[in-house]
Amino acid sequence: MTMKAKKTVRKTAAKKASSARPAAKRIYRFGKETDGDGSMLALLGGKGANLAEMARIGLPVPPGFTLTTEVCNLYYNKGRKLPRRLEREMRTAVKELEAQTGKRFGDPANPLLLSVRSGARSSMPGMMDTVLNLGLNDDTVEGLARKTGDSRFAHDCYRRFIHMYGDVVMGVRPQDEHSHDPFEEVMDDVKRSAGVKLDLELSAKDLMQLIDRYKKLIKSSTGSGFPQEAFQQLSGAIGAVFDSWHNERAVVYRRKYNIPRDWGTAVNVQTMVFGNMGEDSATVVAFTRDPATGEKVLYGEYLVNAQGEDVVAGTRTPKAIADLEVEMPRAHEELQRVSRRLERHFRDLQDFEFTIEEKALYILQTRNGKRTGLAAVRIAAEMVNERLIRWKTALTRIPADSISTLLVPVFRSETRKAAKLIATGLPAGPGAASGQLVFSAREAERLGQRGEEVILCRNETSPDDIHGMLAANGILTARGGVSSHAALVARQMGKVCVTGASDIHIDSQKRTLTVDSVRLKELDVISIDGTTGEVFVGYLDTAPSEVIQVIDGELTPEQSPTYKLFEQIMKWADRARKLGIRTNADTPEQARHAIALGAEGIGLCRTEHMFFQGERLPIVQEMILAPTREQRQQALDKLLEFQRSDFTLLFLEMEDRPVTIRLLDPPLHEFLPSHDGVDGTLAKSLGISRQVFIERLRELHEQNPMMGHRGCRLGVTFPEITEMQVRALFEAAAFVVRKHSVKIKPEIMVPLVSYQGELEHQTEIIHRVAEEIMTRDKVKIPYLVGTMIEVPRAAVIAGKLARTAAFFSFGTNDLTQTTLGMSRDDSGPFLVPYEKLDIITRNPFASLDTEGVGFLVKLAAENGRNIRKNLKLGICGEHGGDPDSIRFCHDIGLSYVSCAPNRIPVARLAAAQAALQASRPSLAISRKAGSTQTASY
Amino acid sequence: MTMKAKKTVRKTAAKKASSARPAAKRIYRFGKETDGDGSMLALLGGKGANLAEMARIGLPVPPGFTLTTEVCNLYYNKGRKLPRRLEREMRTAVKELEAQTGKRFGDPANPLLLSVRSGARSSMPGMMDTVLNLGLNDDTVEGLARKTGDSRFAHDCYRRFIHMYGDVVMGVRPQDEHSHDPFEEVMDDVKRSAGVKLDLELSAKDLMQLIDRYKKLIKSSTGSGFPQEAFQQLSGAIGAVFDSWHNERAVVYRRKYNIPRDWGTAVNVQTMVFGNMGEDSATVVAFTRDPATGEKVLYGEYLVNAQGEDVVAGTRTPKAIADLEVEMPRAHEELQRVSRRLERHFRDLQDFEFTIEEKALYILQTRNGKRTGLAAVRIAAEMVNERLIRWKTALTRIPADSISTLLVPVFRSETRKAAKLIATGLPAGPGAASGQLVFSAREAERLGQRGEEVILCRNETSPDDIHGMLAANGILTARGGVSSHAALVARQMGKVCVTGASDIHIDSQKRTLTVDSVRLKELDVISIDGTTGEVFVGYLDTAPSEVIQVIDGELTPEQSPTYKLFEQIMKWADRARKLGIRTNADTPEQARHAIALGAEGIGLCRTEHMFFQGERLPIVQEMILAPTREQRQQALDKLLEFQRSDFTLLFLEMEDRPVTIRLLDPPLHEFLPSHDGVDGTLAKSLGISRQVFIERLRELHEQNPMMGHRGCRLGVTFPEITEMQVRALFEAAAFVVRKHSVKIKPEIMVPLVSYQGELEHQTEIIHRVAEEIMTRDKVKIPYLVGTMIEVPRAAVIAGKLARTAAFFSFGTNDLTQTTLGMSRDDSGPFLVPYEKLDIITRNPFASLDTEGVGFLVKLAAENGRNIRKNLKLGICGEHGGDPDSIRFCHDIGLSYVSCAPNRIPVARLAAAQAALQASRPSLAISRKAGSTQTASY
């Protein structure tokens, strides 16, 4: 035999061996014998793995078995058929259950009943199907009745089973969302005949009649009878659960959460236990700690003589778990023991379900519990102290967004319950606020100055309204989304804000707000909850968050346990994160607040926001409308004074932290009144005729102001404005350096650059003026000049820009608008349908569109760093405060993110999580599956 | 000796040889002995190479020599010093000139005078410096006076020389643009003393005094005296000309035209000849053919007893060349001979300069002549017939844009001269139009229907005005650029248009147009020239272009020589080009016109333009404002009828040519009146209250409509609109296919796609409706579905889009707006300064921004073709008619360009030139130097 021939033989043998290999294990038992464990998430699904794990550690789990996710794939590969051999394997598994329980499947004397439930690798709540009480038929139902001595109970189980099976397995269900459930129709009919209103009121006899009619319904709908044979029932139910992996809901859900279709679902077949077998039976739903507050106390509720679904349905009011200690002391003790055991084992808050069947306890499932932001923080921190988890794990346990719930004021829950809800909009600025209704910024300011609490209500807000927004307690708009102007400014200011409350109608002339029949007048009191989007009539009591009280010095850290938790988490986050965290702040007050919350610098100071304040606006208007260059210079000279003092205060506040100052950005007409509002006084004060004034306004009007004469286009065409701003900045800087010996670090940012020549033009002015003042004042200020990257062209030519710019700051608000060709303010009418149609998964203005905008950000970052190795890269759009976007920024190696002051804690935590996730690639699976890059980058 | 050692020796020897090699030839003679020739452009510059070439073929060139461009580089490498050895070489060269002329350099008895001129590889007119009459000093001037017997002439030459030398070599010149020329100040002073007004009136004595004061001026300004030594003068002048390669003007010019700085300039030193030596001397400027009409006839003008600069200065009126035949018959004959010789030799229109010095003819320079579009076409075509050039060369000789001058009506030149010019705007739609002034679209329409000729005058136009624009003869706007709405629509319609005539003031209430003191009322007659941007008072006679008369069947091809030329060029162009040429056409009339001009299909049919017409607009408004879905459907049903008949006529016109139909694109409010115009009648006819109507208008108002609810965003949120349009299209198609047996090829285009899901959503509707109608009507129509690429995100995800789209059409108007974040309509106030500041070289809306927008176009084309090999790629923005953009489209391999009907000939020619240039890489040098790619593509 030649060598080659030998090789061939060996290969063939290997091939044969592989095809002759015994099939992979397809059924994993749990109970007395347990084959799987908690690590086998991919194979057994979440529910199956946890059931196995609990059985393994000796918790009282009703015995059962799991068909693996591989069986699901086999099922689909075979064209929706169960593998032949599986039947035999199932019978063996069921036999073992019979042996353990002493009951027999399909035996009228002592029937074994089973539940069949889905359980995918990743939880998909309510997306797939479940069948309970399987094994009941016309004979076994009588056996169950005899055995329990409760005919009503047995027949109630049976009718529920037929209903579920008919729906899930046999497809007897409403044809579309407008038609009724055929089973419910029959039920209604029977109830009418029996003269009762509630299901509970039906007698055993009524239920028998119902069962009879259910069976006829199935027969007439499908042509087949309801199957009486237990194994036939079982195969049918398993097939149906597998089928449900591909039902419409599940497909949509998977697409939305980027769950691969080939993951498949497992199926769990488990012995039924009944909490409704009398007064010594009960059903319990419990949490190992309080999921609302995080307090370490067993938390939950129970119902005697009931099944789990009765707790959920809310037809009876459950009792608090504490009462169980009195009613069933031994069960309560056992529950405590199990709770501790579960938490020690799973090392996280557990949400678990218990059934007490004739005093015997069975645990049906456990999973990591959902919790509020506060609870997430408290539980994570305390579990580290209890040495249950490490600090890095604790950080990954807190949804980054939820940390912000520690910062916002809240309505006291008792007052909320009593209040009259009139509308619901979008939760645009978290927190709770009450006040008198006003419809104009001017009125808001007037009342605000008198110390009144007001809610400013507008169709939408514009920069004109900023002083009114500042004075208001909260902002409510009828239009706009979560990233409308109102929302953006509100979050920046930390104001409570509800946007897009489209049911309300505002008549700003009559000064009324109408919702259906409710009509409110100006100065009527309303309350808005920016965390939920709710709008209430009247005054609701609020409580400021403890963390903010500590930040503001109204409480000491020692007085606030919540603050201590917060501080602890933030300390850990800072230890883990790689990204720098800066803030978008325009005033010393905002800067101070942001530093207290952990900002390491300013990533965006919008100098124009300084222009809107009180006495400055008329000067700005004078500058814009000046008929001669000389008059413009006079106005600029006045503005110089203001800007210099603004910058001085800001530098003093920020000390040696970097401060990025953006040159004037918005179109000039934003500083002017709209046509309608021209009353002639402004023209008069400017010494020009009303006609000239209106003419000039019209000239400045733009079709698409977002893409008009703004950003560095202003600085290039009116270089004297740039000169003034740079002069103010360096004179302030020189003053602070000389008088206060503070080492400040200004970073001057040129906005809306699309051509290299624009950046060069502005940079030349900056260097010239800087040099002049530093020479004159004999100081050396280490400053940087950089550019915003906020139009696609800038991203494309980033390599060239990096020759001039020492840093890039990605203005992802505008970059999103331009990359998508989508005006943020005008996108509401289609973005909402787009989400429903699954064209987008998240609003691109809230969370960075990594596929489109992200491509350009990455391109610019790479091309920029190719030219300038130490190029500083930051992001200062709204996305700087969004956890998903922060993760993207971390992944592509940005230097820092910058966000509104109140988002700083979120950003710190999200940055830490991104760093931890990047260093543990296993955690990143679902994210990788979700990345949808096509263009090669 | 080892092999290695031998090698080393050989290398060292080679090195020595190279360093010992005699220096490259640095001086090239022309005259009796000529060293160079016309091919040595890079080394001798344009002027030097042509002088050499003319001398070589025996034309009477005053002898001289050229210092090569390499000397220029040497000069800069040595820190602005001439190489040592050069001095000796120059002396030798001058000796040869002395031998040839019998004069001696610096000899008071018979002085040799020289000119020193720059001459770069690429012509840079007026950018660099020249010195004439070099060799004159206090002694030689007297020699010249004696020799010519004309003291005034000699001293005039001397004062001119001192002035030029003082300025160019010694730097005595105005300090900035605001100060006066110090030499001119002295001149003015001397003229005042002499009591004369003109230079010419100064006597020899006056001139002597002037020379004295000029020398003093130089002494006091520079500290050095004016140099008397001839070779010192020569070295100084040569150095100064080299210096001028780096003067500010030249640097800016080079940057603008992408001329590399290391090309350097040559310097030409040439014997002076004088056309001002008496009545038997003259200076002649001539063209070998008429540069205005292209007629093959010697063309030019001359002045007896004058120098070249006198012709240019315009102080005396030159005579036409025909008169020379009478005055100097032998010179005229010689001129004819030289002209024929030049053209036969250089094979292109020559623009040449002659001096007759005491009856002897000298040719001073020749170069390819500038010409009008008509002349370019005629000369190119006729030279092919004369076998001077090949047809491919002929194509490259015609600036593509210039072919369009054959299509537009023109004012007769005599009437133009007499007319009163009141303002100049931007040439936005070429051609000439006169008519009665009207200020509203309605009035334009009313008068137009009565057959009156009107000019519609607006501050700016909007889609509302389209019917008025259609009815008008010409359009004049006070605002907007060459790609404003008015300009775009005007060019599309082939209307004459002047935009941005900012000096005019329109009072639309009083219905007046005012410029300074001129006030015109409605119905006063004005004339506008869209080729020059001029606005005249009164009626000016126009003549329609012959080509258009043939196209329109008013002339036969035989009657128009111009048409024959046009047709010939177009035939050649079609033979050479690779790109397909389509048109943007919305009506059968436009389509027919475009086909006659050579369109091969429609690249963009804007269905919404059909919506604006007469009786349709109210139905469109009904559709938009419909309070219920039913009412909207009713309106859509009515529109269906119209659209179907529109499509039917279009398909019949286009026959088997591809027709790309874009689904509804503009925001809905474009179809509605603006707030101001609400008079209640529309609301009434819609059966809704005025208040509801205004409310709805306000709801539809958008901040940035360009990026708002438009394009496929409409089709996705109102799928019934897409359905209606697709239904109309396929019902029309089915009808045409069945009744007329025409094989039509519709291509349906989804606008403004930014997400894959949008395209899928619309494509699903298109396929469904198409299938339904084709099945119903039993026809098979081969149609394509594709997408526009007009936002950067679409370009980024092009690979994904290509899975659904069979073609991409680049909507570069919107892609430019979004990539640059620049609203076309609002860009005037900064784009104009940007051009002046050299931030941009051309308006990005007129010529594709290849660096930014082009990067995305190329990215999309590549990613698209990676996924779908036969993906059809076209461009349908305004850039489709711009030659530079067309070249880019050719280079990146697009399938076709689509442009306005009247741009079709330009596009055909430009496409041919792109193909020819691509196949002859040597032609592409300057373009390559100009390409400014940074991002790697």
Side-chain angles (χ1 to χ4, degrees), chain A residues 233-431:
Chain A
Q233 291 175 351
L234 183 57
S235 300
I238 289 170
V241 172
F242 282 145
D243 282 339
S244 68
W245 176 248
H246 273 290
N247 73 25
E248 208 184 307
R249 274 174 311 177
V251 168
V252 167
Y253 187 92
R254 281 204 298 278
R255 197 185 310 149
K256 183 151 182 168
Y257 291 97
N258 295 301
I259 298 172
R261 49 174 287 174
D262 63 3
W263 277 6
T265 182
V267 174
N268 299 294
V269 178
Q270 191 174 18
T271 311
M272 288 291 301
V273 286
F274 297 94
N276 51 349
M277 271 202 180
E279 292 306 309
D280 54 358
S281 297
T283 183
V284 187
V285 176
F287 288 81
T288 54
R289 306 188 185 212
D290 185 334
T293 65
E295 194 186 346
K296 193 179 177 185
V297 57
L298 185 61
Y299 177 95
E301 42 196 20
Y302 72 101
L303 270 177
V304 171
N305 197 11
Q307 278 196 303
E309 59 194 281
D310 298 326
V311 180
V312 178
T315 41
R316 286 161 62 192
T317 305
K319 297 182 182 171
I321 212 100
D323 295 340
L324 193 66
E325 199 171 357
V326 182
E327 277 200 276
M328 300 185 186
R330 279 196 46 206
H332 184 261
E333 199 175 301
E334 173 74 359
L335 199 58
Q336 292 276 16
R337 199 185 60 79
V338 169
S339 172
R340 281 192 302 270
R341 185 94 174 83
L342 281 174
E343 225 186 44
R344 264 205 314 280
H345 192 75
F346 289 100
R347 293 164 189 269
D348 198 356
L349 169 70
Q350 294 298 297
D351 162 6
F352 61 108
E353 215 180 307
F354 241 80
T355 288
I356 304 173
E357 185 187 270
E358 297 176 328
K359 291 189 183 158
L361 269 72
Y362 297 97
I363 179 161
L364 295 184
Q365 77 166 4
T366 190
R367 58 186 173 197
N368 295 338
K370 302 243 178 284
R371 64 208 84 175
T372 64
L374 175 62
V377 170
R378 178 164 180 177
I379 291 169
E382 291 187 351
M383 279 191 172
V384 175
N385 297 339
E386 294 164 24
R387 297 175 180 273
L388 275 175
I389 56 175
R390 287 181 313 153
W391 65 270
K392 286 183 180 178
T393 309
L395 288 178
T396 64
R397 289 275 175 82
I398 307 166
D401 255 331
S402 67
I403 197 102
S404 66
T405 57
L406 271 65
L407 306 180
V408 296
V410 287
F411 287 130
R412 294 183 203 284
S413 54
E414 36 317 355
T415 57
R416 176 199 294 274
K417 274 182 194 157
K420 174 163 186 177
L421 176 73
I422 55 166
T424 303
L426 299 169

Side-chain angles (χ1 to χ4, degrees), chain B residues 324-325 328-338 340:
Chain B
L324 193 66
E325 201 171 355
M328 300 184 188
R330 281 197 42 206
H332 185 262
E333 199 176 302
E334 173 73 1
L335 200 59
Q336 291 276 13
R337 199 185 60 77
V338 168
R340 282 193 300 271

Side-chain angles (χ1 to χ4, degrees), chain A residues 52 72 122 128 161 243 253 287 449 489 501-502 540 552 586 603 607 612 616 643 699 782 794 880:
Chain A
C72 182
S122 165
M128 289 181 294
F161 172 47
D243 282 339
Y253 187 92
F287 288 81
Q449 281 167 350
V489 176
S502 51
L540 271 66
D552 291 349
D586 309 330
T607 48
F612 283 109
R616 301 166 183 205
Q643 289 248 296
E699 268 174 40

Side-chain angles (χ1 to χ4, degrees), chain B residues 109-383:
Chain B
N110 188 14
L112 171 68
L113 302 187
L114 299 174
S115 68
V116 178
R117 290 180 226 247
S118 65
R121 189 195 297 199
S122 165
S123 170
M124 292 167 62
M127 291 301 122
M128 288 181 295
D129 294 324
T130 293
V131 178
L132 301 179
N133 303 338
L134 189 139
L136 282 176
N137 58 25
D138 296 350
D139 298 330
T140 54
V141 68
E142 299 307 334
L144 184 64
R146 275 192 303 274
K147 183 140 189 296
T148 57
D150 189 344
S151 175
R152 194 199 174 280
F153 161 74
H155 288 93
D156 194 47
C157 287
Y158 191 27
R159 69 98 185 165
R160 285 178 198 247
F161 171 49
I162 299 174
H163 183 170
M164 267 189 268
Y165 197 93
D167 171 354
V168 171
V169 185
M170 305 186 76
V172 182
R173 63 180 74 120
Q175 290 313 299
D176 57 57
E177 58 193 31
H178 303 298
S179 40
H180 293 286
D181 181 342
F183 288 104
E184 295 293 348
E185 282 182 341
V186 173
M187 168 69 94
D188 289 345
D189 205 35
V190 169
K191 282 196 285 191
R192 249 194 314 277
S193 310
V196 302
K197 282 195 172 169
L198 298 176
D199 299 7
L200 274 174
E201 296 171 298
L202 290 173
S203 68
K205 222 174 144 191
D206 294 334
L207 290 169
M208 282 179 216
Q209 196 205 333
L210 184 65
I211 287 163
D212 207 47
R213 291 199 46 190
Y214 272 7
K215 287 195 289 188
K216 282 188 184 133
L217 169 65
I218 288 176
K219 180 78 187 175
S220 70
S221 301
T222 66
S224 323
F226 173 74
Q228 294 287 323
E229 207 279 314
F231 276 102
Q232 190 189 343
Q233 290 175 354
L234 183 59
S235 300
I238 290 170
V241 172
F242 282 145
D243 282 339
S244 68
W245 175 249
H246 272 292
N247 74 26
E248 206 184 311
R249 275 173 312 176
V251 168
V252 168
Y253 187 94
R254 280 205 300 278
R255 197 188 308 149
K256 182 151 183 169
Y257 292 96
N258 295 300
I259 298 171
R261 49 174 288 174
D262 62 4
W263 277 7
T265 182
V267 174
N268 299 292
V269 178
Q270 193 174 17
T271 311
M272 285 294 299
V273 286
F274 297 94
N276 51 347
M277 272 203 177
E279 291 307 308
D280 55 357
S281 298
T283 183
V284 187
V285 176
F287 288 82
T288 53
R289 307 188 184 213
D290 185 333
T293 65
E295 196 185 344
K296 195 181 175 186
V297 58
L298 185 62
Y299 177 97
E301 44 196 19
Y302 72 101
L303 270 178
V304 170
N305 195 11
Q307 277 196 306
E309 57 193 283
D310 298 325
V311 180
V312 180
T315 41
R316 287 162 61 191
T317 307
K319 297 180 182 173
I321 211 101
D323 295 340
L324 193 66
E325 201 171 355
V326 182
E327 277 199 275
M328 300 184 188
R330 281 197 42 206
H332 185 262
E333 199 176 302
E334 173 73 1
L335 200 59
Q336 291 276 13
R337 199 185 60 77
V338 168
S339 173
R340 282 193 300 271
R341 184 94 174 85
L342 280 174
E343 225 186 44
R344 264 205 314 281
H345 191 76
F346 289 100
R347 293 163 191 272
D348 198 355
L349 169 69
Q350 293 299 298
D351 163 4
F352 61 108
E353 215 181 309
F354 241 79
T355 288
I356 304 173
E357 185 187 271
E358 299 177 325
K359 290 189 185 157
L361 269 72
Y362 296 97
I363 178 160
L364 294 185
Q365 78 165 4
T366 190
R367 57 185 174 198
N368 295 338
K370 301 242 178 286
R371 65 210 83 179
T372 65
L374 175 62
V377 170
R378 180 161 178 181
I379 293 169
E382 291 187 350
M383 279 191 173

Side-chain angles (χ1 to χ4, degrees), chain A residues 707 758 793 823 834 849, chain B residues 707 758 793 823 826 834 849:
Chain A
M707 305 193 296
E758 296 173 318
R793 195 182 198 277
S823 165
Y834 273 24
D849 161 36
Chain B
M707 306 193 295
E758 295 173 318
R793 193 182 198 278
S823 166
D826 303 315
Y834 273 24
D849 160 37

